[in-house]
Amino acid sequence: MKASGIHHVGVAVEDIDEAVETYARLFGGTLEHRSRVEEQGVEAASIRVGESRVELLSALEEDTPVGRFLAARGP
């Protein structure tokens, strides 16, 4: 089986507002969707770039999967 594309790539970020601006500017993307997902402890923003998306994930609290990822590995 050969892959035909990438649906989305998730990126952990510290400042979602700054990341939305940066990714939109660098890739010429557009903000497709943004929401808080309390049960996952994140704020998520989807930037559409061509047929693909970059999903930006910012932790709502330090003790969440994304918060722990950022603490251990950085953005």
Side-chain angles (χ1 to χ4, degrees):
M1 178 184 284
K2 183 178 177 186
S4 62
I6 295 174
H7 182 271
H8 78 278
V9 173
V11 179
V13 299
E14 290 187 5
D15 183 329
I16 198 160
D17 293 320
E18 181 182 321
V20 166
E21 281 185 32
T22 300
Y23 278 77
R25 180 175 41 82
L26 290 177
F27 297 115
T30 56
L31 179 63
E32 186 173 59
H33 179 76
R34 183 170 173 172
S35 64
R36 289 174 66 98
V37 186
E38 300 286 342
E39 61 274 7
Q40 294 180 17
V42 298
E43 182 167 1
S46 177
I47 306 293
R48 184 157 186 133
V49 180
E51 296 298 315
S52 301
R53 291 161 186 85
V54 177
E55 183 180 33
L56 305 171
L57 302 166
S58 176
L60 296 177
E61 302 287 334
E62 291 180 9
D63 191 27
T64 63
V66 172
R68 290 188 296 272
F69 177 91
L70 288 167
R73 297 180 182 93

